[in-house]
Amino acid sequence: MIDTHCHLDLLKEEDLRDTLQDKSLEYLLTIGYDRKTIKNALKLSQENPQVFCAIGFHPHEADRVKEEDFEWLKTLAKENPKVKALGEMGLDFYKDYSDRKKQEEVFRRQIALARELGLPIVVHSREAEEETLRVLKEEKAYEVGGVMHCFTGSYQFMKACADLGFYISYSGIITYPNAQKLREVVKRTPTYRLLIETDAPFLAPQPVRGKPNKPTYLRYVAEAVAQLIPNTSFDDVDRMTSENAKLLFNLLCDGRKDTVTYVINNKLYINLTNKCNLHCTFCQRERERNFMVKGYWVWVSRDPSVEEVIREIGDPSRYEEVVFCGYGEPTLRFSALKDIARWVKERGGRIRVDTNGLMFTFLPKERLKELKGLVDVWSVSLNAPDKETYNKVCRPAEEGAFEKVLEFIKEAVREGFKVVATAVDYEGVDMKRTEELAKSLGADFRGRIYESVG
Ligand code: SF4
Ligand SMILES: [Zn+2]
Ligand SMILES: [Zn+2]
């Protein structure tokens, strides 16, 4: 199991020892929430192979956070590979230990930093559902994703967070007799968004309530989840929450080598990231982490570095085409994409980028120009003839996503790129009209077959 939220530095000495010796805990994410605990979290993660950390400033700390603290946080996160997330951060309008305005500001600043660093966030939200959602959306936190830790909110809040691509983490609170309402929310949480945590030394689960909590009690949380989710055993909960955690926090797992590049039919595909800012109904990566594409396991457990990709490519001119592919959105790693594309181009390769066309939702239009002379073809997932269908099929996190795709296609055509708009032949999608729309934007069109994954 993976305890996705604990404060190891606050445990009693013997509880820490038990925890680090417990073989049922594959990984632990210890959380630093102020200057002191951040240092502790780093130290613990450096000393123990199974410990990773998240570092950030808790909303309770907001009043004390100074400008230089953000710079400090950034440097630490950049320099320490065991930092897997920023946080905990967020809003706490229950205790109100810090000024609300200041809480929001510190929250926003840290989301921006997480996006800059490409790290997911750990969110603490109490009695501030609406405000938390608003900030997450406005700051485009879904580009890096994250977890709503120690979730105790409403069904609507859970759903909105899950739809935004956030994970929902439950703690020992779900075992408390008076948490009936919360248990109903657990039942309805999508299993691919589910995580578990202890928040130790706080919130000991019911069977050990009153004692200081420790990560070895995580099994009580897992047991409770197994009882709530239909047709699900303890082992199922263990496996799915562990895989979800590995995915979210990019924890190196099972030793299987990541498929960073792969060749199909003399085309070389580059697997730049599995992160995506859409979640299309038909997308395999949305429901299945371990999926194969023509004999390749294409899930990458972390984003490969530019150097790593280049090393694997070798001589790009051997291939008909070098493709930045779409099991994840390559433009999310714009600068890596650009660096690799330049390297490939200089060695005579031909480049295609498969994209969902949402680049303008997070980068200014002008940035597209930087890829001129590097990208030969854009293959853009249009997938619908109109906004209504698009929202249904592609489920964007943001209003106006469809318009952004159209804008992207037009702009790319205008800049002189070859653009092919694509659509998956999916129920409810009028392929003919989608093709007409593509053509009207100056793009070519290619229909794609929908392969059911069961
Ligand atoms: S854009 Fe591609 S990778 Fe992203 S959710 Fe849709 S199908 Fe999946
Ligand atoms: Zn918290
Ligand atoms: Zn915490």
Side-chain angles (χ1 to χ4, degrees):
M1 290 179 288
I2 299 179
D3 189 346
T4 62
H5 194 111
C6 53
H7 300 269
L8 291 182
D9 55 327
L10 306 181
L11 299 188
K12 289 194 301 193
E13 214 182 302
E14 66 265 32
D15 286 347
L16 178 61
R17 201 184 43 233
D18 290 352
T19 299
L20 294 174
Q21 283 171 358
D22 188 336
K23 292 278 174 284
S24 73
L25 294 167
E26 189 181 3
Y27 296 124
L28 300 130
L29 196 70
T30 191
I31 313 290
Y33 54 82
D34 62 6
R35 279 221 171 216
K36 180 162 164 248
T37 56
I38 285 173
K39 285 183 207 152
N40 294 343
L42 281 169
K43 184 160 183 291
L44 279 158
S45 67
Q46 281 155 357
E47 288 168 354
N48 300 284
Q50 75 274 44
V51 178
F52 293 92
C53 67
I55 58 174
F57 296 105
H58 197 282
H60 293 342
E61 298 301 316
D63 281 346
R64 281 184 288 277
V65 175
K66 294 194 233 42
E67 189 55 38
E68 59 264 31
D69 291 330
F70 297 110
E71 216 31 61
W72 180 71
L73 191 63
K74 179 171 158 184
T75 310
L76 291 180
K78 251 186 164 161
E79 287 175 355
N80 291 284
K82 292 208 98 176
V83 175
K84 292 299 180 185
L86 286 197
E88 55 187 296
M89 59 172 85
L91 302 172
D92 194 317
F93 294 173
Y94 175 68
K95 295 256 166 111
D96 271 331
Y97 286 162
S98 277
D99 174 66
R100 291 186 176 185
K101 276 222 158 58
K102 190 71 203 285
Q103 288 189 35
E104 184 170 326
E105 185 203 320
V106 171
F107 187 22
R108 285 181 189 273
R109 290 287 301 273
Q110 293 185 90
I111 297 173
L113 192 54
R115 286 180 52 201
E116 193 184 326
L117 294 164
L119 287 173
I121 60 175
V122 176
V123 181
H124 171 110
S125 168
R126 243 183 128 189
E127 309 247 312
E129 297 191 345
E130 249 171 66
E131 295 84 351
T132 302
L133 259 182
R134 181 168 47 75
V135 172
L136 290 177
K137 283 186 188 159
E138 285 174 7
E139 294 299 324
K140 305 190 179 176
Y142 44 79
E143 276 169 20
V144 284
V147 53
M148 311 307 292
H149 112 83
C150 192
F151 192 88
T152 52
S154 65
Y155 169 73
Q156 285 73 19
F157 186 45
M158 181 281 290
K159 173 124 191 345
C161 295
D163 284 348
L164 217 50
F166 275 75
Y167 289 76
I168 314 294
S169 179
Y170 294 104
S171 67
I173 292 181
I174 66 166
T175 63
Y176 297 169
N178 64 354
Q180 194 43 43
K181 239 175 106 188
L182 181 60
R183 278 190 286 277
E184 291 304 314
V185 182
V186 178
K187 270 187 202 166
R188 298 167 74 189
T189 304
T191 52
Y192 55 87
R193 292 274 183 256
L194 198 67
L195 297 176
I196 49 176
E197 66 175 76
T198 56
D199 208 6
F202 314 108
L203 303 173
Q206 191 63 26
V208 285
R209 209 166 168 184
K211 291 193 201 173
N213 198 6
K214 53 182 174 181
T216 47
Y217 295 149
L218 184 61
R219 66 192 156 88
Y220 294 118
V221 181
E223 270 161 18
V225 172
Q227 273 166 25
L228 290 167
I229 300 196
N231 198 24
T232 302
S233 68
F234 177 89
D235 286 348
D236 294 331
V237 172
D238 175 8
R239 188 187 57 255
M240 68 201 189
T241 56
S242 297
E243 290 305 309
N244 291 345
K246 286 173 189 171
L247 169 64
L248 174 63
F249 297 117
N250 277 326
L251 308 179
L252 275 173
C253 35
D254 58 20
R256 192 168 65 208
K257 194 183 164 298
D258 287 320
T259 308
V260 174
T261 65
Y262 54 100
V263 182
I264 295 174
N265 204 14
N266 200 34
K267 292 178 183 155
L268 180 91
Y269 291 83
I270 301 176
N271 212 354
L272 210 49
T273 182
N274 287 145
K275 298 194 175 85
C276 187
N277 42 357
L278 265 192
H279 57 130
C280 305
T281 33
F282 49 72
C283 182
Q284 289 197 60
R285 58 172 279 290
E286 278 289 309
R287 51 199 132 160
E288 181 99 58
R289 297 313 173 202
N290 274 337
F291 64 93
M292 247 200 313
V293 174
K294 301 210 165 138
Y296 293 107
W297 293 105
V298 292
W299 188 260
V300 277
S301 61
R302 79 222 130 79
D303 291 350
S305 68
V306 172
E307 293 71 24
E308 202 176 356
V309 173
I310 284 176
R311 204 181 322 123
E312 284 205 11
I313 297 175
D315 173 11
S317 67
R318 301 181 273 174
Y319 304 105
E320 192 182 313
E321 212 175 20
V322 173
V323 185
F324 291 85
C325 66
Y327 296 102
E329 176 48 39
T331 62
L332 285 175
R333 296 195 65 204
F334 186 85
S335 67
L337 169 66
K338 194 168 98 180
D339 291 348
I340 298 165
R342 188 179 308 113
W343 186 91
V344 169
K345 211 67 211 164
E346 282 166 7
R347 284 154 188 84
R350 183 187 149 76
I351 296 174
R352 183 178 95 205
V353 180
D354 291 355
T355 178
N356 60 24
L358 288 178
M359 190 176 117
F360 295 164
T361 63
F362 56 90
L363 283 179
K365 248 178 165 174
E366 304 74 61
R367 301 293 302 269
L368 183 59
K369 287 194 179 61
E370 295 171 28
L371 298 174
K372 273 171 93 168
L374 300 181
V375 173
D376 297 290
V377 185
W378 286 100
S379 176
V380 187
S381 304
L382 177 58
N383 282 333
D386 54 61
K387 183 172 177 164
E388 207 201 331
T389 316
Y390 184 83
N391 287 349
K392 240 186 252 156
V393 172
C394 296
R395 302 182 296 189
E398 234 186 307
E399 258 308 298
F402 184 63
E403 288 82 354
K404 292 283 184 191
V405 177
L406 302 188
E407 203 182 316
F408 181 85
I409 294 176
K410 271 193 275 187
E411 191 65 16
V413 169
R414 212 175 57 83
E415 289 290 351
F417 291 101
K418 179 173 166 55
V419 183
V420 182
T422 68
V424 174
D425 196 352
Y426 190 68
E427 65 174 285
V429 176
D430 185 335
M431 296 295 276
K432 192 90 208 90
R433 273 180 56 225
T434 311
E435 177 166 3
E436 282 162 17
L437 173 61
K439 299 252 159 87
S440 77
L441 299 169
D444 289 344
F445 178 78
R446 186 166 64 89
R448 296 161 63 197
I449 305 164
Y450 170 57
E451 292 177 58
S452 169
V453 290

